[in-house]
Amino acid sequence: MRLVLIGDVGADVDFHIGDEAMLESALVELRARVEASYTVVSASPGATAARYGVDAVLRIGFDPSIAGSRAARDIRLANVLAAAQGETARLAADDRAWAVIDTVADSDAVIIAGGGTLATKHSQHIYERAALAGIARIYDKPLVLTGQSFGPSLVTRDAELVAQILGGATLVGVREEFSAQTARDLGASASTLAHTVDDASFLEGSDTVAVLPSLELTAGQYSVVSFPDYAGVDTVETLGRELDALIAHVRSITGLPVVLVPHQGSLGGGGSTHDDAMIARLARTPGVVVAPVLPVRDVVTLTASAALSVSSRYHSTVFALAAGVPTVGVWFGLHTRRKIVGSLTNFGVEAWAVPSSLLHTDLADRLVEETWDRRADITAHLIEVAAVRKTESALWWDAVASTLTTGTAPALAPRSASATLAVSPVLAEEITDLSGWTSLVLEANVELTASLGEATDEVAVLAETATALEAEVASLQTSIEVAEGGVLVAPELASLQAENQALNWQIEALEQRMWERERLLAARAREAVALRRGVGVAKAETEKVRREVTSARTELKTARVESDVARRQVSNANLMAAQARGQVSELLGSTSWKLSMPLRFMRRPGPYLRKLLGR
């Protein structure tokens, strides 16, 4: 059997831990179940072949250097599929797409390995996978999707392509409920759709002896953090300052070193990209250990051996949760929200998935403190859930192997429900409010961006059409001028000129809409920043009031203590007075007093006589 896989994998110079981990996990699981040879569609076939011991071919190619606009991508997709159906003239003889077409034609099945690229922000990857799925359909090869995220943003054309991919799939695995619902909305059959976890959740790490000593670390005696060079609507510098403070706080409350773990960069050094840049910014914080860009299994071990994880990198949460490491997941936009929230929800700790706007407030510090205080309970919960999810993951891969060998999807076992943990009620309410505000702003920005993108594509198509018509008008006009001495009489010319003018008006209207949307988008971005800063100010004021109330309560408590002391002193004085009165009464009532009185009178009669005379 020969299987074809595609993952967003490639060269060492831009090594992406998560994408490589998902492909490696798929190969591990398939090799344990299916006797086959494997060919991977890769951005860098040589590096992929050497890394995983597989054959590899270069991607078909829909990136901007090959197809710079949506119209160009649609044309290339149509040409690739037509060529696969026998219209060989639609592609040049040396077109790189032929290697993929021939590979699929000679294979037994196709697998689209896990990832989050089926979203409009990664539109070129949607086209790549749509082309591969289309070729599989043409040659009647079973198609399996595993560990996928869909959306959250899919413009009309991208949604159509994803629906076509799903429509041709024999089996589909998604890694969060959001994506399961998106798949259902796009027409995926419930009988072939499974909610799994991320493909790399249970990838075995390398030996701790080979990883931790090189960084002078001991298992369970450090925290890990991972953040990309991406700040949402903030600037990288602003985010960097807030992360500095957060990392310092993690260091303070745990008393442990903090390890910065890159998830995308240059494997083996030699460049500064993605996480490298942010880590260089954060490395100035005291008590921080900076790890190099490591192979996938070393990163699994480094993360799984930590005492705490705070990250906005999706696979940092994946590796940590599966190993029972208490995790705070930070999301910056709707795309990362879907993945981070989905990852933590799979393990029943979605309350610890929070927006980056949290970093503007004291909520981040309070959440980290609560996570650390409750780490034993959180770890016990995660280990219990992970055992269930690992069993389900094994059953999923059994179903994948069955589908690949028989061409038919087996009955899928239902997903088990799991218990959930929650943060403290007051903290949960504040985080929920802030998450809601942040999501509203981000959703508005995404909608505007998508509309702007569609309008831009439409303008480009209209502009190309107008240019072609203008050339045709000019050519016809020249012909008529030559033929009739410059007298323009042809109705066809007038029609073309009218059509050309109408198109120009449409272009002007769309350009006006684009300008207005760009202004609105910029305003919304400013609103988002202002909102986050405003929330931060509000939280700071709330914290100030809270401190004042606490101080007042302390003063009141002190006053109450002092009052209690005074009350006890008065009570003691009253008791002493009562005791004195009792002693006098006892003396007056005693027989000895009555017997001694005559003797005292006889010895000193003066005082008694004066007292009697006074009366």
Side-chain angles (χ1 to χ4, degrees), residues 129-446:
R129 284 150 179 77
L132 187 64
I135 297 167
R137 185 168 56 250
I138 289 167
Y139 290 106
D140 196 25
K141 309 296 182 182
L143 173 68
V144 172
L145 282 73
T146 180
Q148 295 295 318
S149 290
F150 298 115
S153 176
L154 284 169
V155 299
T156 303
R157 177 56 176 152
D158 290 334
E160 291 173 354
L161 292 173
V162 173
Q164 290 173 16
I165 295 171
L166 292 170
T170 310
L171 189 63
V172 178
V174 296
R175 56 189 185 179
E176 63 269 320
E177 179 54 36
F178 302 116
S179 293
Q181 185 57 54
T182 300
R184 287 190 288 268
D185 293 343
L186 293 173
S189 170
S191 63
T192 60
L193 179 66
H195 179 180
T196 66
V197 292
D198 182 82
D199 288 350
S201 293
F202 302 106
L203 180 66
E204 290 187 7
S206 52
D207 190 343
T208 55
V209 175
V211 181
L212 302 188
S214 65
L215 297 171
E216 299 182 354
L217 297 172
T218 302
Q221 296 299 311
Y222 60 90
S223 302
V224 292
V225 297
S226 297
F227 289 91
D229 192 14
Y230 172 69
V233 297
D234 278 333
T235 64
V236 172
E237 189 61 30
T238 298
L239 175 64
R241 286 195 301 269
E242 290 167 348
L243 290 177
D244 280 340
L246 178 63
I247 291 170
H249 190 65
V250 170
R251 177 84 171 87
S252 173
I253 66 169
T254 64
L256 302 175
V258 175
V259 183
L260 302 178
V261 183
H263 272 246
Q264 186 174 8
S266 304
L267 190 63
S272 179
T273 60
H274 301 288
D275 289 14
D276 295 353
M278 178 58 78
I279 283 177
R281 169 68 179 79
L282 299 177
R284 299 193 293 268
T285 306
V288 164
V289 177
V290 180
V293 180
L294 296 169
V296 167
R297 290 178 185 254
D298 288 0
V299 174
V300 172
T301 295
L302 185 59
T303 306
S305 301
L308 176 70
S309 172
V310 181
S311 178
S312 66
R313 273 293 184 187
Y314 174 75
H315 276 91
S316 183
T317 71
V318 168
F319 302 151
L321 293 169
V325 178
T327 298
V328 177
V330 182
W331 49 268
F332 287 92
L334 299 184
H335 186 71
T336 55
R337 182 187 70 177
R338 171 162 290 199
K339 295 196 299 181
I340 295 290
V341 172
S343 175
L344 272 69
T345 300
N346 283 338
F347 286 82
V349 287
E350 57 267 32
W352 277 265
V354 296
S356 60
S357 51
L358 201 78
L359 301 174
H360 294 268
T361 74
D362 71 326
L363 294 177
D365 290 348
R366 289 161 57 195
L367 181 61
V368 169
E369 289 170 9
E370 179 169 332
T371 306
W372 185 248
D373 290 342
R374 297 176 58 190
R375 60 189 181 279
D377 290 340
I378 295 171
T379 294
H381 167 84
L382 291 174
I383 290 173
E384 181 180 349
V385 176
V388 176
R389 296 290 178 249
K390 188 172 185 178
T391 298
E392 293 172 343
S393 179
L395 292 174
W396 161 251
W397 286 108
D398 289 344
V400 170
S402 175
T403 302
L404 296 175
T405 54
T406 67
T408 304
L412 299 172
R415 178 183 174 85
S416 300
S418 64
T420 60
L421 286 183
V423 299
S424 58
V426 173
L427 188 57
E429 182 179 359
E430 293 183 70
I431 291 174
T432 299
D433 288 345
L434 188 57
S435 297
W437 297 338
T438 305
S439 295
L440 285 174
V441 173
L442 291 172
E443 285 165 3
N445 283 345
V446 166

